[in-house]
Amino acid sequence: YLESAHSRPDVDKAIKELVLYCYKATKSLPAEEMFAMVSQIRKAALFVYLNISEGCSRQSSRCTSHA
C-alpha cells in the first residue's frame, strides 16, 4: 500500500480492510466479469483509499474542512 498522509490509524485500517475485502470478494465472480465488474469494484475500493490520503495531505484548511 501507499503510505497515508493522514493521522487516523483507525480510518487507515478500515480503508485497507475494504480494499482487501473487495479483492477477495471479486475472486469468486465469474471469469467473464473480470474486465467489467471486477475491475470496476477493485478500482473503486482503491480510489477511496487514494482520495482520502490525497485529501488529508492538502495544506489548505479550506480543502480539509469538509472532512
Side-chain angles (χ1 to χ4, degrees):
Y1 290 109
L2 299 172
E3 288 299 316
S4 302
H6 56 87
S7 60
R8 298 273 314 265
D10 55 331
V11 174
D12 187 56
K13 182 181 178 198
I15 298 168
K16 286 180 181 180
E17 288 175 0
L18 170 70
V19 173
L20 290 175
Y21 176 79
C22 287
Y23 271 76
K24 288 177 184 176
T26 54
K27 281 186 178 182
S28 63
L29 293 175
E32 60 267 8
E33 292 294 336
M34 184 55 82
F35 297 107
M37 184 179 278
V38 171
S39 65
Q40 291 298 315
I41 292 170
R42 290 179 176 181
K43 281 185 209 177
L46 185 58
F47 285 150
V48 168
Y49 182 78
L50 295 174
N51 286 336
I52 290 176
S53 294
E54 179 185 1
C56 291
S57 68
R58 298 190 186 253
Q59 300 299 317
S60 166
S61 61
R62 181 176 165 222
C63 291
T64 58
S65 65
H66 295 90

